[in-house]
Amino acid sequence: LFRSPRTFSSRNVALYFACQALASSSASLLTATSAIVGAMLAPDPRLATVPAALQQLATFVMTYPASYLMVRIGRRAGFSLGAALGVLGGAAATLGLIERSFLLFCAGIALIGGQAGFATFYRFAAVESAPPQRRERALGWVMSAGVLAAFLGPWLARHTRDTESTAFAGSFAALCAMALLSLVLLQLLGATAAPSLPDRPRAAPRDILRKPAFLRFAVAGMVSGATMVFVMVATPLAMAGC
């Protein structure tokens, strides 16, 4: 009760950094493994990348509802819901692997993609929780978690691949554990009120979509994101084929 707002701010930013690192590590782990596992389970090899596609699609579908929901129920409750989706998704994907069920595996990956739709907002929540003079630093800290995840995700995939009798089951169990750890960490957040709504009326989505600047950034994001996903999903399959 006697801690200063700055103490809460620093703790929140540290928690968002940790949760961002865990969520990004999960995404990195999925990139390294989902297509290979898809090829193992799919009834047709051409369906190997369907899980990876479902992950991206679920993230896209969940992002707007996640933002809308957190305005209503607050950051802690919203992010906790997203982490719970990750726990369920990791468990479903692990069970799908053990049971050799392609559909169950795909369902688990889609739930994990839904978690990523919530995790997209960790950076913005960190900015909200920091005082104005420290917002750029808070944003930088949370965004830098992706660098850590670039090493942690593939490392986990490599070291958990054969920990269970079914190949890669340990990897998705680890993914479930990371989501569960995020869920625990999120309960430590302080000052978790819903983000304040702006005083001025918000622009309608259709008006935003008509703005040339938005369209340029959206197209750039689509092209760069598609290129990244194409290369990062195809490479593990190519390496396995060699």
Side-chain angles (χ1 to χ4, degrees):
L1 292 176
F2 298 99
R3 291 180 179 176
S4 67
R6 181 171 178 175
T7 301
F8 279 123
S9 167
S10 300
R11 185 176 71 183
N12 284 356
V13 171
L15 290 169
Y16 287 134
F17 171 86
C19 291
Q20 180 70 63
L22 291 167
S24 298
S25 296
S26 296
S28 182
L29 187 152
L30 280 178
T31 300
T33 60
S34 63
I36 296 176
V37 175
M40 291 167 45
L41 301 180
D44 187 322
R46 291 174 294 182
L47 301 177
T49 57
V50 166
L54 288 175
Q55 175 197 352
Q56 301 298 325
L57 180 62
T59 300
F60 166 74
V61 169
M62 187 58 69
T63 298
Y64 187 85
S67 176
Y68 183 84
L69 182 64
M70 283 190 281
V71 169
R72 299 298 184 271
I73 66 174
R75 291 298 191 189
R76 179 166 57 192
F79 286 134
S80 296
L81 176 59
L85 291 178
V87 173
L88 292 174
T94 303
L95 184 60
L97 256 170
I98 295 172
E99 298 294 330
R100 308 291 296 180
S101 171
F102 182 65
L103 289 178
L104 184 56
F105 179 75
C106 287
I109 299 302
L111 288 171
I112 296 167
Q115 177 197 10
F118 282 87
T120 301
F121 295 96
Y122 283 136
R123 68 195 76 173
F124 304 115
V127 170
E128 291 168 0
S129 64
Q133 67 275 17
R134 296 173 63 87
R135 286 176 177 170
E136 290 82 1
R137 183 173 298 181
L139 179 62
W141 267 108
V142 175
M143 292 297 292
S144 69
V147 178
L148 175 63
F151 295 95
L152 182 59
W155 183 88
L156 281 172
R158 185 169 64 251
H159 286 82
T160 57
R161 171 179 175 171
D162 299 316
T163 55
E164 303 292 338
S165 57
T166 302
F168 292 108
S171 300
F172 287 90
L175 193 151
C176 179
M178 287 193 289
L180 183 59
L181 178 57
S182 293
L183 184 59
V184 172
L185 291 175
L186 288 166
Q187 308 316 305
L188 304 177
L189 285 172
T192 58
S196 57
L197 292 170
D199 295 332
R200 63 183 183 277
R202 292 187 296 173
R206 63 178 178 273
D207 295 330
I208 296 174
L209 290 171
R210 293 170 181 167
K211 293 184 177 181
F214 171 81
L215 292 175
R216 286 196 297 270
F217 286 123
V219 170
M222 289 167 60
V223 172
S224 59
T227 303
M228 179 187 70
V229 172
F230 170 71
V231 173
M232 295 180 71
V233 171
T235 298
L237 279 177
M239 294 175 68
C242 294

